[in-house]
Amino acid sequence: SSGINAEYGEILLNRRLDVDAVKLRFTDVDNIEDMKAAEADMKEVKMAFNEQMTLVEDLLTECDRLNTEQIHLLEDLAYAHHTFYSECAEISSKMCAALTEYITM
């Protein structure tokens, strides 16, 4: 899962670099045609960046939900283990007491 997160994060970074590259093109614009082309490119790369950002946000939200769910399951398991071993200790104590009583008779 973390490998997938890293992969989508890297794609997002590349989309951000695309946006920065198009922004740099605006400094070299000499005429209206180049300006229109740069604006069209900017619209395209911003849209790709926003789509990737939404995908990464959704992925991270789902990871957070799953992590929270796993923590609750681990908590349930810890309580189950605690209860089991507490009951085992109680039974063992009763058994020891019974054996001690039997021996001293």
Side-chain angles (χ1 to χ4, degrees), residues 9-100:
E10 187 175 325
I11 293 170
L12 181 62
L13 176 62
N14 289 335
R15 296 285 185 257
R16 178 63 200 169
L17 292 173
D18 291 345
V19 170
D20 291 344
V22 173
K23 281 182 181 178
L24 285 175
R25 283 186 43 206
F26 278 101
T27 60
D28 296 333
V29 172
D30 299 3
N31 58 54
I32 194 75
E33 290 173 16
D34 290 343
M35 178 62 84
K36 287 181 181 181
E39 287 173 350
D41 288 346
M42 179 59 81
K43 183 178 179 180
E44 183 180 322
V45 296
K46 277 189 174 181
M47 188 169 62
F49 175 79
N50 289 336
E51 287 172 0
Q52 188 66 26
M53 176 66 93
T54 300
L55 184 66
V56 169
E57 286 174 344
D58 292 346
L59 180 67
L60 292 175
T61 299
E62 180 63 10
C63 284
D64 188 44
R65 185 190 68 76
L66 291 173
N67 286 341
T68 301
E69 184 179 321
Q70 286 179 349
I71 289 169
H72 288 297
L73 292 172
L74 284 171
E75 179 186 32
D76 292 344
L77 178 63
Y79 281 121
H81 275 123
H82 176 73
T83 301
F84 174 77
Y85 288 111
S86 293
E87 290 173 3
C88 287
E90 186 179 327
I91 291 168
S92 294
S93 292
K94 288 179 182 178
M95 197 163 62
C96 286
L99 288 171
T100 302

